[in-house]
Amino acid sequence: MKFQYNLIIIVCLTCFSNSVLAQNYIGHTVDNYAGIQSVIYNPATGVDSKMKLDINIFSTSAFAASDYYGIKLKNLFDSGNTFDTDEDTKTFPKNNNNFYVNLDIMLPSVMLNIDDNNSIALISRVRTFGNINKINGELFENYENEFDDTEDFSFENDEFTGTIHAWAEVGLSYGRVLYNENNHKIKGGITLKYLQGLGAAFMSTNGMQGNYTASENTLATTGNLVYGVTGDFDSDDIKYEDLGSGFGADIGFIYQWNNAQTTDTNLKTDYKLKLGLSVTDIGSISYDDTEISDYDLNETINPNGNDVDDLDDLYDYTSEIKTVKIKLPTAIHLLADYNITNRFYVSAQADISVVKPDNSQTSNSLNTFIITPRLESKWFSMYMPFGFRQYEDFGVGLGLRAGPLTIGSSSLISNLVSDSSKSADVYIGLKVPIYR
């Protein structure tokens, strides 16, 4: 069995350094005309919305972040400068560095308001999460440099975990107005999902320490490293019989308050204040025939004289085949949205990961806090999210919705002025919107 330690790392670093990935439609989901994209954030948003019918043709949202790399992304957009990986990339190694990527592709999907009190949606998506949690930055830096020109160093890595997981899902969502009296409205929604696993790889340690001696070019290590892979996930041929399956759910509630006394039916979906609470990605995917190898790292090796990607040749190990469950990135989402005047709104969102990163057989999302002022109308919306993110980063972005087209990024503006960006994202979508 060829050890694929760099599988997770290469995926995470490639996505981040090229800044082609982003998180889920940050800034856009609070738009009252976001339609089906807001349903994946809170399934209660679909009912009694300003969309009669929303048909998603194709949308993708992606996000990448790390507290190890800081990248001068503005040189990618400056015709007078050439982006140089060595000069435009800074590293910040510490005892517990982290890497994170998230790719979300929404395939053809549809949302329909049946009447004023009921809505349904059918959603299809393909998703990938990659996490490296609490890896020793100095060890990673020397591993990436293949231990060339390295001084003596020692490391301790007792809480390291890493997971990459890809899956497809089909969800059926239902939303309903639960209460509507005296300018107070409460809505609820639930999405039930069938999950088709596309594969996962994961690793962890119960304790890993080591010392590198430059004069002798030796790496003495102690402890263990556990690596698991589902089926043929780390090969070029992923067979259908190796895929896993499972079920998931999202649930959400929304409270709306309108302080205006009106009988105008065109304003029946307007509000002065909206509060939202949702929990997404409840569930897991079960994989049979998962190979798990436990490597005994009590050995001294010559890292320059060996292929350190192939631990089978460097360390003794034991393997077993078993069934594992990979947990989804369960998260809690909080929303407060205030209508300042007419078409101007400001919202505050908090996303909190429920999953603890110390479990290698799980995916976890980032904790974020976003404030988004926006201008909103039927055929056009513009929003500028300000975000505080995990991994010590602050982002300012810009998003636009013009009829069927949506495009944006929650870090565009900050990345254009920063000399050391630690996160990057972008999203784009094309749909057929039919408004009320």
Side-chain angles (χ1 to χ4, degrees), residues 72-131:
K72 198 172 184 179
L73 291 173
K74 61 182 180 181
N75 279 357
L76 290 173
F77 307 97
D78 189 343
S79 58
N81 292 321
T82 301
F83 184 84
D84 185 276
T85 304
D86 294 329
E87 295 183 1
D88 296 324
T89 302
K90 299 179 182 179
T91 59
F92 304 92
K94 57 183 183 179
N95 290 332
N96 55 349
N97 284 118
N98 303 272
F99 300 86
Y100 172 88
V101 293
N102 168 20
L103 173 63
D104 188 311
I105 300 174
M106 182 180 288
L107 301 173
S109 304
V110 60
M111 184 196 77
L112 171 66
N113 264 287
I114 301 173
D115 53 34
D116 290 344
N117 295 311
N118 298 274
S119 71
I120 58 172
L122 183 63
I123 305 170
S124 60
R125 303 160 72 190
V126 176
R127 305 170 67 187
T128 299
F129 270 74
N131 304 93

Side-chain angles (χ1 to χ4, degrees), residues 19-222:
S19 67
V20 296
L21 297 187
Q23 201 174 8
N24 292 343
Y25 311 99
I26 297 176
H28 177 57
T29 56
V30 297
D31 188 346
N32 288 302
Y33 295 93
I36 203 164
Q37 274 75 27
S38 64
V39 174
I40 64 176
Y41 181 82
N42 185 329
T45 58
V47 62
D48 194 41
S49 69
K50 297 187 177 183
M51 308 291 295
K52 176 64 177 176
L53 178 66
D54 191 29
I55 302 173
N56 178 78
I57 299 174
F58 179 83
S59 302
T60 183
S61 173
F63 179 92
S66 170
D67 58 1
Y68 175 83
Y69 276 113
I71 302 178
K72 198 172 184 179
L73 291 173
K74 61 182 180 181
N75 279 357
L76 290 173
F77 307 97
D78 189 343
S79 58
N81 292 321
T82 301
F83 184 84
D84 185 276
T85 304
D86 294 329
E87 295 183 1
D88 296 324
T89 302
K90 299 179 182 179
T91 59
F92 304 92
K94 57 183 183 179
N95 290 332
N96 55 349
N97 284 118
N98 303 272
F99 300 86
Y100 172 88
V101 293
N102 168 20
L103 173 63
D104 188 311
I105 300 174
M106 182 180 288
L107 301 173
S109 304
V110 60
M111 184 196 77
L112 171 66
N113 264 287
I114 301 173
D115 53 34
D116 290 344
N117 295 311
N118 298 274
S119 71
I120 58 172
L122 183 63
I123 305 170
S124 60
R125 303 160 72 190
V126 176
R127 305 170 67 187
T128 299
F129 270 74
N131 304 93
I132 296 179
N133 304 305
K134 299 181 180 179
I135 187 172
N136 183 278
E138 189 172 9
L139 172 63
F140 174 78
E141 186 172 50
N142 286 293
Y143 168 84
E144 189 182 29
N145 295 328
E146 298 180 346
F147 292 88
D148 288 338
D149 301 322
T150 300
E151 299 179 351
D152 291 357
F153 75 93
S154 60
F155 68 90
E156 192 170 324
N157 219 156
D158 294 338
E159 299 180 300
F160 163 67
T161 60
T163 305
I164 182 170
H165 188 201
W167 73 95
E169 63 183 46
V170 177
L172 180 62
S173 183
Y174 173 70
R176 179 173 176 80
V177 175
L178 304 176
Y179 177 85
N180 187 11
E181 295 289 343
N182 300 322
N183 297 325
H184 299 279
K185 183 182 296 184
I186 298 176
K187 302 187 291 185
I190 186 170
T191 302
L192 301 179
K193 300 185 283 190
Y194 172 74
L195 311 171
Q196 178 67 72
L198 301 179
F202 52 89
M203 62 184 70
S204 63
T205 180
N206 295 324
M208 181 170 61
Q209 302 83 33
N211 294 280
Y212 177 76
T213 304
S215 60
E216 301 176 3
N217 188 31
T218 57
L219 179 64
T221 57
T222 60

Side-chain angles (χ1 to χ4, degrees), residues 352-369:
I352 305 167
S353 176
V354 175
V355 177
K356 295 182 178 180
D358 56 0
N359 184 351
S360 65
Q361 296 175 23
T362 186
S363 299
N364 62 279
S365 57
L366 292 187
N367 298 321
T368 61
F369 179 73

Side-chain angles (χ1 to χ4, degrees), residues 143-413:
Y143 168 84
E144 189 182 29
N145 295 328
E146 298 180 346
F147 292 88
D148 288 338
D149 301 322
T150 300
E151 299 179 351
D152 291 357
F153 75 93
S154 60
F155 68 90
E156 192 170 324
N157 219 156
D158 294 338
E159 299 180 300
F160 163 67
T161 60
T163 305
I164 182 170
H165 188 201
W167 73 95
E169 63 183 46
V170 177
L172 180 62
S173 183
Y174 173 70
R176 179 173 176 80
V177 175
L178 304 176
Y179 177 85
N180 187 11
E181 295 289 343
N182 300 322
N183 297 325
H184 299 279
K185 183 182 296 184
I186 298 176
K187 302 187 291 185
I190 186 170
T191 302
L192 301 179
K193 300 185 283 190
Y194 172 74
L195 311 171
Q196 178 67 72
L198 301 179
F202 52 89
M203 62 184 70
S204 63
T205 180
N206 295 324
M208 181 170 61
Q209 302 83 33
N211 294 280
Y212 177 76
T213 304
S215 60
E216 301 176 3
N217 188 31
T218 57
L219 179 64
T221 57
T222 60
N224 79 314
L225 184 67
V226 177
Y227 172 76
V229 61
T230 61
D232 287 340
F233 184 64
D234 60 344
S235 72
D236 296 328
D237 180 21
I238 300 178
K239 300 177 182 179
Y240 180 83
E241 59 266 28
D242 293 326
L243 303 182
S245 62
F247 297 93
D250 305 334
I251 187 169
F253 298 92
I254 288 176
Y255 164 76
Q256 292 181 188
W257 170 64
N258 183 5
N259 66 346
Q261 298 292 331
T262 179
T263 58
D264 187 350
T265 58
N266 293 324
L267 299 178
K268 62 185 176 181
T269 59
D270 288 352
Y271 56 86
K272 191 66 176 177
L273 175 67
K274 178 168 71 174
L275 302 176
L277 168 65
S278 62
V279 182
T280 59
D281 291 321
I282 304 166
S284 62
I285 298 177
S286 179
Y287 290 93
D288 296 328
D289 302 324
T290 299
E291 182 177 9
I292 300 178
S293 299
D294 190 343
Y295 290 86
D296 182 359
L297 303 184
N298 295 288
E299 186 66 74
T300 299
I301 65 171
N302 181 333
N304 275 336
N306 295 278
D307 182 1
V308 293
D309 291 341
D310 193 353
L311 293 193
D312 292 5
D313 296 333
L314 300 177
Y315 300 104
D316 294 331
Y317 66 95
T318 58
S319 294
E320 62 177 331
I321 304 297
K322 60 187 299 186
T323 297
V324 299
K325 286 186 176 181
I326 309 296
K327 294 182 180 179
L328 298 184
T330 310
I332 297 173
H333 309 280
L334 304 174
L335 168 69
D337 191 31
Y338 185 75
N339 181 208
I340 299 174
T341 176
N342 197 12
R343 298 175 180 177
F344 291 93
Y345 296 77
V346 62
S347 67
Q349 295 171 274
D351 301 323
I352 305 167
S353 176
V354 175
V355 177
K356 295 182 178 180
D358 56 0
N359 184 351
S360 65
Q361 296 175 23
T362 186
S363 299
N364 62 279
S365 57
L366 292 187
N367 298 321
T368 61
F369 179 73
I370 309 290
I371 297 176
T372 307
R374 73 183 187 278
L375 168 67
E376 177 183 299
S377 65
K378 178 181 290 186
W379 291 102
F380 178 81
S381 292
M382 181 173 68
Y383 16 86
M384 183 178 290
F386 297 78
F388 295 92
R389 300 188 181 92
Q390 201 172 342
Y391 299 161
E392 307 168 2
D393 202 24
F394 174 76
V396 181
L398 182 67
L400 298 173
R401 177 186 57 82
L405 178 65
T406 300
I407 187 170
S409 166
S410 68
S411 58
L412 174 65
I413 296 176

